[in-house]
């Protein structure tokens, strides 16, 4: 017998793509649509979103009464209470009332969170942090950010800005960051920072197999560094291990602050996790307060890029409303506040 599941729409609003999925309470994807993001104007963004959700609903052919709401994961600065994207440079949006627009059009409840928080929620409900009360998701991509679940609640802060892990300093006189601080973690560990460091070192004459691409006139990216490292290039391996040690220093700060149980890493840079993750773990083991770090699981995401869209729908599977359904999955009930 098939158990009837509640469903929610998850929408991952990115600078180049909109990913929408209809996801069940047990994490099954009923239907999924990906579209390019039109960002010439607010109206075009709105049309892209409506078009994507409409297609999703047409494809899914489910009873609308089963859909609990629309959850949105967005980059940028958001106001989750007002359901407004305050500023998202990659989408060209400012004070964009996405919640009101969607609630009015679809007559469904809408929830909004930032993309790192969405991924944290997805890991909490369905991924590496399932059944845990204390979990931190860290994304290492062009920037570095975190979504923090502490004592069974998502930590948002006063203005939805909690989790700016990339802008915590690990060096008080370090590299100047655009945020105004010095020594921000992401200036040493983001995808952009890894490439910058590689170029700086190559310019000083350090030897690396990366030079064959530079001689060809190719612009080095993290993909080249990943290939070089996997082929045994000591320069690239050392660079990635150093990134791991710096991330490990930051992770120790998080564990010491939040006494967390699980740290999950995602983001494009984690495609090189075989070089980075062991160095993170070693640094945590070596320098963390023993009784706090000894049982912390440090893992790579198993949900990958789908964490954003899944966590967006998961906003409807973490609150009191889940109690009304007798078929509620007990493991997910344990996440209720
Ligand atoms: Zn900064």
């Amino acid at each position: 017998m098939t158990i009837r599941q509640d469903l929610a729409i998850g929408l991952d609003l990115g600078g180049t793509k909109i990913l929408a999925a209809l996801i069940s309470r047990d994490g099954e994807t009923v239907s999924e649509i990906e579209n390019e993001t039109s960002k010439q104007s607010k109206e075009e963004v709105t049309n892209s979103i409506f078009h994507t959700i409409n297609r999703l609903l047409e494809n899914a052919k489910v009873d609308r009464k089963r859909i609990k709401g629309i959850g949105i994961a967005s980059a940028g600065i958001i106001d989750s209470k007002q359901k407004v994207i305050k500023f998202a440079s990659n989408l060209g949006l400012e004070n964009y009332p996405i919640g009101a627009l969607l609630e009015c059009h679809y007559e469904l409840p809408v929830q909004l969170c930032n993309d790192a928080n969405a991924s944290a929620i997805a890991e909490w409900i369905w991924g590496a942090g399932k059944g845990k009360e204390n979990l931190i998701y860290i994304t290492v991509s062009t920037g570095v950010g975190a979504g923090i679940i502490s004592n069974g609640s998502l930590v948002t802060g006063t203005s939805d800005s909690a989790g700016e892990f990339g802008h915590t300093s690990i060096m008080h006189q370090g590299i100047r960051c655009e945020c105004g601080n010095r020594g921000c973690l992401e200036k040493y560990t983001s995808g952009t920072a890894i490439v910058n460091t590689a170029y700086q070192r190559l310019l000083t004459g350090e030897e690396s197999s990366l030079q064959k691409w530079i001689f060809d006139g190719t612009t080095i990216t993290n993909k080249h560094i990943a290939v070089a490292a996997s082929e045994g290039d000591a320069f690239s391996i050392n660079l990635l291990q150093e990134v791991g040690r710096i991330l490990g220093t930051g992770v120790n700060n998080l564990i010491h602050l939040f006494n967390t149980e699980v740290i999950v890493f995602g983001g494009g840079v984690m495609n090189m996790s075989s070089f980075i993750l062991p160095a993170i773990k070693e640094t945590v083991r070596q320098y963390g307060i023993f009784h706090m770090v000894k049982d912390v699981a440090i893992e790579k995401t198993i949900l990958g890029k789908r964490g954003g869209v899944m966590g967006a729908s998961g906003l409807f599977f973490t609150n009191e409303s889940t109690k009304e359904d007798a078929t509620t999955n007990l493991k997910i009930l344990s996440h209720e506040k």
Side-chain angles (χ1 to χ4, degrees), residues 166-167 177 179 181 184:
H167 296 286
C177 179
C179 76
N181 201 355
C184 287

Side-chain angles (χ1 to χ4, degrees), residues 263-305:
I263 306 270
V264 189
F265 276 94
V269 168
M270 280 298 132
N271 292 336
M272 303 183 280
S273 65
S274 58
F275 301 100
I276 298 173
L277 213 50
I280 295 173
K281 290 180 181 177
E282 175 60 22
T283 304
V284 169
R285 191 197 62 75
Q286 198 174 356
Y287 298 107
I289 295 171
F290 178 72
H291 84 271
M292 294 182 78
V293 302
K294 68 182 172 60
D295 294 324
V296 177
I298 300 175
E299 299 170 17
K300 184 182 170 183
T301 175
I302 51 170
L303 303 175
K305 287 181 183 172

